Amino acid sequence: MAVRPGLWPALLGMVLASWLRGSGAQQSATVANPVPGANPDLLPHFLVEPEDVYIVKNKPVLLVCKATPATQIFFKCNGEWVRQVDHVIERSTDGSSGLPAMEVRINVSRQQVEKVFGLEEYWCQCVAWSSSGTTKSQKAYIRIAYLRKNFEQEPLAKEVSLEQGIVLPCRPPEGIPPAEVEWLRNEDLVDPSVDPNVYITREHSLVVRQARLADTANYTCVAKNIVARRRSTSAAVIVYVNGGWSTWTEWSVCSASCGRGWQKRSRSCTNPAPLNGGAFCEGQNVQKTACATLCPVDGSWSPWSKWSACGLDCTHWRSRECSDPAPRNGGEECRGTDLDTRNCTSDLCVHTTSGPEDVALYVGLVAVAVCLLLLLLVLILVYCRKKEGLDSDVADSSILTSGFQPVSIKPSKADNPHLLTIQPDLSTTTTTYQGSLCPRQDGPSPKFQLTNGHLLSPLSGGRHTLHHSSPTSEAEDFVSRLSTQNYFRSLPRGTSNMAYGTFNFLGGRLMIPHTGVSLLIPPDSIPRGKIYEIYLTLHKPEDVRLPLAGCQTLLSPIVSCGPPGVLLTRPVILAMDHCGEPSPESWSLRLKKQSCEGTWEDVLHLGEEAPSHLYYCQLEASSCYVFTEQLGRFALVGEALSVAAAKRLKLLLFAPVACTSLEYNIRVYCLHDTRDALKEVVQLEKQLGGQLIQEPRVLHLKDSYHNLRLSIHDVPSSLWKSKLLVSYQEIPFYHIWNGTQQFLHCTFTLERVSPSTSDLACKVWVWQVEGDGQSFSINFNITKDTRFTELLALESEGGVPALVGPSAFKIPFLIRQKIITSLDPPCSRGADWRTLAQKLHLDSHLSFFASKPSPTAMILNLWEARHFPNGNLSQLAAAVAGLGQPDGGLFTVSEAEC
């Protein structure tokens, strides 16, 4: 209902007068100002007063005021009257009193409030009047609601031990009205009324009274008010358990059933077992002590007593006792009877005597045996004479230059006086000799014969094949033949990690490509007149049981060369990689060899070699070269002498070449820094369809019993989501240190927010607690980027796995012989093999070289093993020529002459 225009000035004057009269009253409560002499019962009183409200975003707020009895009601905001047109007025009658009532509503916009923002708070108040006076309502404050984005303090990740208290602080963002705080554990609401082990402080911190394993989770602080809901960064809380030893087991039975031995007891780190990165138990898990066991003594009979007198029953007896010695300590009783009886009356007893017929029978049997023995001796002599006729040496001088190079030897035509023609064919990998194998004869015929070694079956049809490589069919046949012997039952059935060839006195070389494993067979290592079929095998650690004691660890691959037991006149050189950081103060290194019975023995303690020993080792930074005169199965084992002992680990990051789903896996491999281990992982990833996504790194793992930890960081949350629930993954120390487990790796699974996401940028950390660490910065396109693939392109290691004769050596055969002849004799001016060893930095092995018939040959053999196939022959020639020998020019060679 509108007010008449003539009354508006009068009403406004009344309101101003009453306002001035009530200016000293409290502004936030209802204030009545009666007209003097008026009835106070007719003063207006408010049925509905305006209340505090918040403006959310840009929505205006509604203020309502209702009073009775009232003739007029108006709003006043921040001391200014609201325009009449902005009021919505409704008149009614109060049902309880029958007096007239009036309700007024106004809208307040965000713009109105922002005009006074920063000066004072925006407020509104109702003023109602009647004929008896005016009444003012309480003030209603209008505020703009908001909630800022950034938390003033966010919770941080923690690692706490079991039953330790946890406090996660959280200060929510600034907001009006103030934000309420709640906590999420793995996206589930934390309710202190349900879980009495947790409570939330007035400062909004989450407190866990005693950490439990179930409290390992991601915790998020959530702040909310009427405007928005904000989430803090999740804090990973890991509740770890430090390992504890179980009780000791009972002492085992003494290892020796007789005499001195040892017994042991053990305990395990399972009380409790370390969890979530908890510390491993300190101390030894095995204790040994000496013991002695009484040896059992088996009983033995004493001598028989004399025969007794003949009794009435025509028998007499004799006795003995089990007392020489008597059984004790569990020994066996004597076997047999302790009483012997016989007839003692010849007339009544039966005696067995030999007649003339029995004597003749015995004489005949002896004569037949003598005749058979003589016949056997004759046959053996005849066989030996025939064999000697076939055991002549290869005397053709052309073998020194073409020798066992890959050649093709074909039968000549009928009108050709020569039986064999030799033409070089460098494309072949198998050399076949045809024609009769016979002793050399006088005349122009260039025949030469290959004698059958004691390891080969007799040659048939005048045909013999020298193997230069390992084709699949021939390799399988070779392995199947070796498998029939007990010692070779553990040889791998595949051919990728095996090489073999047939060799004579000219020597050769076997290699397993891309592994660093090779076997050099120097000239004259095989006796002249013998031909050996030799193999080289690389074993997987899980296929061969290598017992390791105490702090020992496997540092090299396990390699077999054989067959064992063949006669060698010079040491061969076995080369293989190792992953140790060699230091006499940190390591005790031993070469182990497996016997034919299957037991492993220490055949060499590096640093304590005897010059005349059957084994010797040249140890370098990443490789070792073993001189041995006995073939067999070998491994390099190290025992840590201090926590400074370290092994080199190669870290490789692989991921799928093609990603067809939202999930994307990053595999981090931690393997021994050897070429054979790298080859296995590369082959595995090719089968899995993986690609290298970062340049490999080397990490030094110390013998400190601390685990290896791996984590992923800085994953862009707008594009990717990590599925890792904990802050890091772990590989136990002992799994890496013993060196017998392959393909150790951890996988980080990421999930793309959208299938179109292809760019990935993050960091991967790999570190040992209190040790070395490496960081990988990943930034590439998962669908296009292949720039790291070339880093693992396996390089060639000299062609075919088997090289026979002069082709296996960098130094030409004739020049090698000249060097040996010139430098072996001692020289007063020092221009001999000792000076050559110094120039090649091998002077630490002088005592070993001096113990051999040809020291120079040993030096050249080691040079061949270390520098094939990429050795610089010119540098060796310069070192030899610089010794000051009168005929030093003979040793100067060029690459073309080789």
Side-chain angles (χ1 to χ4, degrees), residues 8 70 140 162 245 278 371 440 496 530 541 554 613 783 835 860 863 881:
W8 178 252
L162 193 66
W245 289 113
C371 292
R440 181 172 180 173
S496 62
K530 299 293 183 183
L554 181 63
H613 203 274
T783 59
T835 308
L860 298 181
W863 187 91

Side-chain angles (χ1 to χ4, degrees), residues 1-5 7-8 11 44 47 64-74 84 87-95 98-105 127-131:
M1 178 179 179
V3 181
R4 289 188 302 229
L7 293 177
W8 178 252
L11 290 174
L47 301 177
V64 180
C65 186
K66 185 176 183 180
T68 184
T71 57
Q72 291 294 334
I73 301 177
F74 289 97
Q84 182 182 5
H87 291 74
V88 177
I89 303 174
E90 292 184 4
R91 295 183 182 274
S92 61
T93 302
D94 184 29
L99 297 175
M102 181 179 290
E103 180 179 325
V104 179
R105 296 187 297 273
V127 180
W129 56 84
S130 67
S131 58

Side-chain angles (χ1 to χ4, degrees), residues 13 290 331 431 562 609 616 709 755 784 852:
T431 302
E609 304 95 334
Y616 197 82
R709 293 183 176 180
K784 302 177 181 179
K852 301 303 176 184

Side-chain angles (χ1 to χ4, degrees), residues 152-437:
E152 295 184 5
Q153 184 178 8
E154 291 188 296
L156 299 177
K158 289 181 179 292
E159 294 182 10
V160 297
S161 61
L162 193 66
E163 298 183 355
Q164 182 181 342
I166 305 174
V167 178
L168 295 176
C170 176
R171 292 172 59 191
E174 178 187 352
I176 294 179
E180 299 177 356
V181 172
E182 62 185 17
W183 284 87
L184 301 179
R185 179 198 288 133
N186 287 345
E187 304 303 322
D188 295 330
L189 182 65
V190 177
D191 189 354
S193 63
V194 176
D195 187 357
N197 192 44
V198 299
Y199 67 92
I200 301 175
T201 66
R202 290 183 178 180
E203 294 77 19
H204 311 299
S205 297
L206 178 66
V207 178
V208 181
R209 291 183 173 89
Q210 287 186 325
R212 305 156 297 189
L213 288 177
D215 294 323
T216 298
N218 291 323
Y219 289 83
T220 308
C221 181
V222 179
K224 61 180 181 179
N225 64 6
I226 61 176
V227 178
R229 174 188 174 97
R230 309 292 188 203
R231 291 168 57 98
S232 71
T233 303
S234 296
V237 174
I238 299 175
V239 181
Y240 62 85
V241 179
N242 291 325
W245 289 113
S246 64
T247 56
W248 288 102
T249 61
E250 296 295 330
W251 287 103
S252 64
V253 179
C254 192
S255 62
S257 58
C258 174
R260 291 183 59 82
W262 54 268
Q263 57 186 158
K264 66 179 181 178
R265 63 176 182 174
S266 62
R267 58 180 178 176
S268 59
C269 190
T270 56
N271 187 32
L275 290 175
N276 297 336
F280 197 81
C281 303
E282 295 183 359
Q284 297 294 329
N285 62 336
V286 177
Q287 282 185 347
K288 291 184 179 181
T289 184
C291 58
T293 306
L294 295 176
C295 297
V297 178
D298 296 336
S300 181
W301 292 111
S302 64
W304 288 100
S305 65
K306 294 183 179 180
W307 289 101
S308 65
C310 192
L312 297 175
D313 55 353
C314 295
T315 61
H316 60 170
W317 55 270
R318 60 178 180 175
S319 64
R320 57 180 178 176
E321 295 180 352
C322 189
S323 59
D324 189 22
R328 61 180 182 272
N329 302 331
E332 294 185 359
E333 294 286 341
C334 301
R335 296 182 180 181
T337 61
D338 59 352
L339 187 65
D340 184 19
T341 60
R342 285 188 182 179
N343 256 330
C344 57
T345 303
S346 58
D347 295 338
L348 301 177
C349 299
V350 178
H351 298 281
T352 303
T353 58
S354 297
E357 296 85 356
D358 295 335
V359 174
L361 177 62
Y362 295 149
V363 172
L365 291 175
V366 171
V368 171
V370 170
C371 292
L372 290 176
L373 181 60
L374 292 175
L375 180 60
L376 180 61
L377 291 175
V378 171
L379 292 175
I380 292 174
L381 290 175
V382 171
Y383 173 77
C384 291
R385 288 179 177 273
K386 289 183 178 181
K387 188 173 184 302
E388 289 176 0
L390 296 176
D391 285 342
S392 59
D393 292 338
V394 177
D396 194 337
S397 61
S398 64
I399 198 71
L400 296 178
T401 54
S402 60
F404 283 75
Q405 299 273 6
V407 296
S408 178
I409 302 176
K410 304 175 183 178
S412 60
K413 297 181 180 180
D415 56 350
N416 194 338
H418 298 284
L419 294 179
L420 297 175
T421 59
I422 301 179
Q423 299 177 356
D425 181 3
L426 300 181
S427 63
T428 59
T429 58
T430 302
T431 302
T432 303
Y433 291 91
Q434 288 184 312
S436 60
L437 296 178

Side-chain angles (χ1 to χ4, degrees), residues 402-675:
S402 60
F404 283 75
Q405 299 273 6
V407 296
S408 178
I409 302 176
K410 304 175 183 178
S412 60
K413 297 181 180 180
D415 56 350
N416 194 338
H418 298 284
L419 294 179
L420 297 175
T421 59
I422 301 179
Q423 299 177 356
D425 181 3
L426 300 181
S427 63
T428 59
T429 58
T430 302
T431 302
T432 303
Y433 291 91
Q434 288 184 312
S436 60
L437 296 178
C438 57
R440 181 172 180 173
Q441 301 173 358
D442 296 331
S445 176
K447 286 187 184 178
F448 62 93
Q449 66 95 33
L450 298 175
T451 58
N452 180 23
H454 66 279
L455 295 179
L456 297 176
S457 57
L459 302 175
S460 59
R463 182 184 179 93
H464 179 56
T465 301
L466 294 181
H467 304 278
H468 282 218
S469 63
S470 51
T472 303
S473 59
E474 296 179 0
E476 292 176 353
D477 175 67
F478 178 67
V479 172
S480 63
R481 283 189 282 122
L482 292 178
S483 318
T484 58
Q485 305 178 37
N486 290 333
Y487 182 78
F488 302 108
R489 295 290 172 88
S490 60
L491 286 178
R493 295 299 182 264
T495 58
S496 62
N497 286 335
M498 184 177 185
Y500 71 96
T502 306
F503 303 90
N504 71 347
F505 74 96
L506 290 175
R509 187 188 304 264
L510 290 175
M511 293 175 294
I512 301 178
H514 318 306
T515 64
V517 177
S518 65
L519 180 69
L520 179 72
I521 307 167
D524 291 322
S525 295
I526 298 175
R528 291 179 177 259
K530 299 293 183 183
I531 298 178
Y532 293 161
E533 192 171 29
I534 297 177
Y535 65 85
L536 180 65
T537 303
L538 176 63
H539 298 275
K540 294 182 179 179
E542 61 267 23
D543 295 337
V544 179
R545 185 177 180 274
L546 174 62
L548 299 174
C551 300
Q552 288 185 339
T553 177
L554 181 63
L555 297 178
S556 74
I558 302 175
V559 179
S560 291
C561 54
V566 298
L567 175 63
L568 297 176
T569 56
R570 298 285 189 275
V572 297
I573 302 178
L574 176 64
M576 53 188 177
D577 289 353
H578 70 83
C579 62
E581 284 294 311
S583 170
E585 299 79 15
S586 304
W587 285 105
S588 173
L589 302 177
R590 299 175 186 272
L591 181 69
K592 285 183 174 287
K593 180 177 182 290
Q594 190 177 28
S595 65
C596 293
E597 291 77 19
T599 59
W600 287 87
E601 302 170 348
D602 293 340
V603 296
L604 181 63
H605 187 182
L606 272 67
E608 300 180 5
E609 304 95 334
S612 59
H613 203 274
L614 291 175
Y615 307 95
Y616 197 82
C617 182
Q618 157 74 2
L619 186 68
E620 299 186 353
S622 60
S623 303
C624 60
Y625 302 90
V626 178
F627 292 81
T628 175
E629 297 181 21
Q630 294 183 354
L631 303 183
R633 184 171 296 164
F634 297 92
L636 184 65
V637 171
E639 181 173 4
L641 302 179
S642 68
V643 293
K647 295 174 66 173
R648 295 189 316 278
L649 299 183
K650 178 90 64 171
L651 305 179
L652 301 170
L653 271 63
F654 282 91
V657 174
C659 184
T660 58
S661 65
L662 293 179
E663 287 191 354
Y664 190 74
N665 295 324
I666 298 177
R667 294 180 290 274
V668 185
Y669 287 88
C670 306
L671 54 133
H672 283 175
D673 186 18
T674 57
R675 281 172 282 180

